[in-house]
Amino acid sequence: MGHSALSARGKLGAITRQFPNDPDRLAEARRNLAAAKLQDYIERTLADAPPLTDIQRDRLALLLRDPNAAGRAE
């Protein structure tokens, strides 16, 4: 697990202890952890990949903005 995910996981733990009955804070902390895990994964994957073309980067960015649009990006 990368640095950003470890930090987000720690924050989730703290919020879980401090605000166990606050579903909005818990949901946000879980969403932040999921985003941090994705960020770490993407950073590791890109570090091992050859450079992407502008079209490939645009297609991947579209996937993040609208997962349902991925098939329409062809």
Side-chain angles (χ1 to χ4, degrees):
M1 192 172 294
H3 175 57
S4 59
L6 286 174
S7 175
R9 190 163 95 179
K11 289 176 184 176
L12 173 59
I15 289 171
T16 299
R17 287 186 301 279
Q18 292 176 326
F19 306 100
N21 298 317
D22 189 337
D24 292 336
R25 283 187 189 202
L26 291 168
E28 181 179 0
R30 287 184 182 110
R31 191 171 33 254
N32 290 341
L33 176 56
K37 286 179 177 180
L38 261 174
Q39 178 181 335
D40 289 346
Y41 175 77
I42 291 168
E43 287 173 352
R44 282 192 319 271
T45 302
L46 289 175
D48 293 336
L52 300 174
T53 67
D54 288 343
I55 292 171
Q56 290 167 329
R57 283 192 302 274
D58 289 344
R59 190 175 298 141
L60 291 171
L62 178 61
L63 179 62
L64 290 172
R65 283 191 296 274
D66 182 5
N68 297 320
R72 299 189 305 259
E74 300 293 322

